[in-house]
Amino acid sequence: MKINFLTKSVLFIATLFCVSCTDGFSGREGRLEACADSFATHYFNYQFEAARRFCTPESEQWLKYAASNVHQADVDVLKTLSEGAGIEIERISIDDGDSTATVYISVSNFLCMDTIGTQGHMMRHARFVLPAIYADRQWKIRMEGLPRSERQSRD
């Protein structure tokens, strides 16, 4: 059976249309995971300007606040690290309305600034919870304060 060019074109376009229109749970969850991973990687490596792309406009004030509390001693420590903070997405929970979510992450080997006005200290491992919202067909991290560790294991 010979399929002509027009039939092949219609099938190809229909396939592309079906694939591009699938914005199902796994597609949205994948985009949320990518957003959270990018945000966390930049944030926990003190690249606040780069992290800004992955959070809501209202969250920018918290990034500015975090940046304003970085001391020269913190910068010196960051420069000596052989590798940046490690980020692992542990779990994602998308709420029933599909427009809000919670991302549970694990962060390893990062400089922790848990007391304002003092130099940070290295942490081997901590877990964080990042709230996220879905608006304008994209996920963004919504900071309502600086990310706080669920459990801290000081090293």
Side-chain angles (χ1 to χ4, degrees):
M1 180 163 136
K2 188 174 181 182
I3 300 176
N4 66 24
F5 178 75
L6 181 60
T7 305
K8 286 181 184 178
S9 298
V10 169
L11 288 173
F12 179 73
I13 291 170
T15 302
L16 284 177
F17 180 73
C18 289
V19 169
S20 67
C21 288
T22 57
D23 191 25
F25 181 76
S26 62
R28 287 182 65 191
E29 184 173 344
R31 286 196 301 275
L32 172 56
E33 183 174 344
C35 172
D37 183 69
S38 295
F39 170 80
T41 298
H42 292 301
Y43 181 86
F44 288 103
N45 285 295
Y46 292 81
Q47 300 164 345
F48 300 121
E49 184 64 30
R52 193 175 74 153
R53 276 188 339 157
F54 303 99
C55 64
T56 63
E58 300 80 20
S59 301
E60 290 181 25
Q61 66 179 327
W62 293 107
L63 293 175
K64 290 176 183 176
Y65 181 71
S68 72
N69 284 287
V70 176
H71 296 273
Q72 183 60 47
D74 298 324
V75 173
D76 295 341
V77 168
L78 290 169
K79 286 181 180 179
T80 65
L81 298 177
S82 60
E83 61 183 57
I87 308 299
E88 180 183 343
I89 306 293
E90 292 185 343
R91 183 168 55 99
I92 293 175
S93 174
I94 297 179
D95 299 329
D96 290 336
D98 284 343
S99 64
T100 60
T102 305
V103 182
Y104 301 86
I105 65 170
S106 177
V107 183
S108 58
N109 300 319
F110 67 100
L111 184 66
C112 177
M113 293 191 308
D114 56 3
T115 306
I116 300 300
T118 63
Q119 179 181 344
H121 59 277
M122 291 302 296
M123 293 268 302
R124 187 169 9 162
H125 180 264
R127 289 187 171 96
F128 294 85
V129 176
L130 301 175
I133 62 167
Y134 187 76
D136 298 325
R137 298 181 58 116
Q138 61 184 343
W139 285 104
K140 296 283 186 172
I141 301 302
R142 183 184 68 222
M143 298 176 69
E144 297 171 338
L146 299 179
R148 293 176 48 173
S149 173
E150 284 187 323
R151 284 184 285 174
Q152 292 186 353
S153 59
R154 278 196 134 151
D155 289 331

